[in-house]
Amino acid sequence: VMPAGCLTMSDSTITPATRWKVAAAAVAIHLCIGSLYAWSVFIKPLQAAHGWSRPELAAAFSLAFLTGGLFSAFRGAWMECRGPRRCAVMSAFCFGAGIAGAGIAAHIGSLWLLYATYGVLGGLGLGSGYVPPINALLKWFPDRRGLAGGMAVAGFGAAALLTGPAATELISVVEVPLTFAILGAAYFVVILLASRVMRFPPPDYRPEGWVPRSETAGGLAEKTHTLGKALQSPRFWLLWAVFFLNISAGMSLISFGAPMAQEIVGMTAVQASVMVGFMGVFNAAGRIGWSALSDYIGRPVTFAVMVGIQIVLFALVPSVSSVALFQAAFFVIMTCFGGGFATCPAFVTDLFGSRNTGAIYGVILTAWSAAGVAGPTMAAMLRDLTGSYSGGMHVIAGALAFALVCVAALGASIRGRTAAP
């Protein structure tokens, strides 16, 4: 049931291909706003041009995710009612202007303007364009919620594949300011075009041939949770903690992936930028692969496997000397990072129902905001304090061990509910 005033699509306009058109639009929007993950390719050019430090530049990256997450958290119910189309239009204007405005900041050498444009305005575009497409696809694909979440955010993970090499090439030809301007204009056009097909399905929509499970199937929480009721549940905070730690780990690599590769295994700037792009491929692949797998093995087991793999890799990467092994470890971590994003929306719907997914998941995304600050900032500070990235990676491995404990507690709470009479 949609709140009064929400935009939906009438039954007469729905065809079997309709939900796939919405999926394509969702991917296009996320391909644009996910370009933030290619931030590391701008670090060295901006340092060379203005002498800004790593922590100062990490703050712009972190601020974008902080703003986006807070907007999603506090405006989740508003976005649910406004519908994905209006939110996408807002995203087009804010995100396009934020990225283009970063070009002005880079041209005049104003760090504070960079924060205001790339960080705040770009973050508003991120927040208004991230949750609504996911929410729409969860409603269009009630039969495959894990896969739907994966499709919705696959573009976000793959964005660095396009933006990393493209931005590097543009910087070499037209410098950083004009690169930001060109990218901002392109994002505006693409998001605005994609917004034209974004809609919620009718409240009683069911895919052809699909029969919904019982509301209490699997012993999960009853599907009537309001945001307030969800916030009172220990499961909400366990999921929040796991999401936060998983994102923090990935953010620490994404924000400094290029310089880290150059420092640890001696890759060139071009090689590192290519690696950043391919990190996006595995980020996107993980979003599809892990989320689809979660439809079969369950969300708690999926998270446990992803976190366990990362603990091992973060502990071992600092001692790797082979470029191939270094990249392989990074790419596997990226699949787990993306998988966490893709699996979480379906997990929220499993636990709390589909009616208020936008509002509840919006608050869950405060973990993303916090991690966007914690991961890059910790990596930058430890790098400057110790002279290497190794110490930070060992700290992350320890934090992920705590995340594994939280996953186990969440799984136990679900099993306990299943066993209850």
Side-chain angles (χ1 to χ4, degrees):
V1 177
M2 295 287 103
C6 288
L7 297 175
T8 63
M9 184 174 286
S10 67
D11 291 310
S12 62
T13 63
I14 295 176
T15 69
T18 299
R19 64 177 184 168
W20 295 104
K21 292 179 182 178
V22 176
V27 171
I29 293 171
H30 276 227
L31 273 170
C32 292
I33 61 177
S35 64
L36 294 177
Y37 280 157
W39 172 246
S40 64
V41 304
F42 292 100
I43 290 176
K44 288 203 169 184
L46 288 172
Q47 282 185 310
H50 304 294
W52 294 329
S53 69
R54 285 184 180 89
E56 286 174 331
L57 290 171
F61 178 81
S62 298
L63 185 58
F65 286 95
L66 176 64
T67 303
L70 290 177
F71 182 84
S72 296
F74 291 104
R75 302 297 287 172
W78 177 85
M79 289 191 290
E80 179 97 27
C81 187
R82 287 292 178 179
R85 181 180 182 180
R86 292 180 182 176
C87 292
V89 171
M90 177 180 176
S91 178
F93 281 93
C94 291
F95 195 75
I99 301 303
I104 299 175
H107 178 68
I108 67 177
S110 172
L111 187 61
W112 288 106
L113 184 58
L114 182 68
Y115 293 160
T117 54
Y118 190 94
V120 177
L121 195 55
L124 288 174
L126 169 65
S128 56
Y130 187 83
V131 173
I134 297 174
N135 194 13
L137 285 198
L138 288 174
K139 290 176 170 60
W140 278 106
F141 290 83
D143 50 333
R144 297 294 300 278
R145 284 174 177 158
L147 178 62
M151 288 190 298
V153 297
F156 202 93
L161 172 64
L162 301 177
T163 304
T168 300
E169 183 64 26
L170 283 171
I171 289 170
S172 69
V173 175
V174 299
E175 304 293 339
V176 171
L178 191 52
T179 296
F180 277 126
I182 292 171
L183 292 175
Y187 299 149
F188 170 77
V189 171
V190 172
I191 297 174
L192 199 62
L193 290 175
S195 72
R196 296 179 62 85
V197 300
M198 292 300 299
R199 291 288 193 282
F200 284 140
D204 58 351
Y205 169 75
R206 292 185 183 183
E208 185 177 352
W210 176 70
V211 179
R213 296 178 180 178
S214 167
E215 293 266 302
T216 58
L220 297 179
E222 59 187 46
K223 314 232 176 188
T224 56
H225 283 72
T226 62
L227 174 60
K229 187 175 181 181
L231 290 174
Q232 296 173 17
S233 169
R235 294 179 185 176
F236 178 93
W237 297 107
L238 287 170
L239 183 57
W240 191 98
V242 174
F243 197 42
F244 165 75
L245 293 169
N246 191 72
I247 297 171
S248 294
M251 285 288 199
S252 68
L253 299 191
I254 290 170
S255 58
F256 290 101
M260 192 179 294
Q262 295 173 63
E263 177 181 301
I264 295 178
V265 291
M267 296 175 68
T268 67
V270 173
Q271 290 173 328
S273 69
V274 172
M275 187 197 74
V276 169
F278 276 101
M279 284 169 63
V281 173
F282 287 91
N283 188 342
R287 291 170 189 243
I288 293 291
W290 287 111
S291 61
L293 181 63
S294 75
D295 283 329
Y296 299 97
I297 67 174
R299 324 298 178 200
V301 174
T302 302
F303 264 108
V305 174
M306 290 190 297
V307 171
I309 289 172
Q310 290 180 89
I311 292 171
V312 174
L313 293 180
F314 271 101
L316 295 179
V317 162
S319 61
V320 169
S321 58
S322 165
V323 171
L325 290 177
F326 179 85
Q327 291 179 319
F330 262 44
F331 294 155
V332 172
I333 290 171
M334 283 299 100
T335 69
C336 298
F337 173 76
F341 272 103
T343 306
C344 192
F347 209 159
V348 170
T349 304
D350 288 347
L351 294 172
F352 306 114
S354 61
R355 182 173 183 178
N356 297 301
T357 296
I360 297 171
Y361 184 55
V363 178
I364 285 283
L365 286 180
T366 58
W368 186 13
S369 299
V373 174
T377 302
M378 182 187 69
M381 292 180 63
L382 288 174
R383 166 61 179 80
D384 287 349
L385 287 173
T386 66
S388 74
Y389 290 104
S390 299
M393 298 186 83
H394 288 136
V395 170
I396 292 169
L400 286 170
F402 177 73
L404 192 59
V405 173
C406 293
V407 172
L410 184 56
S413 74
I414 294 173
R415 289 192 298 271
R417 173 76 175 183
T418 304

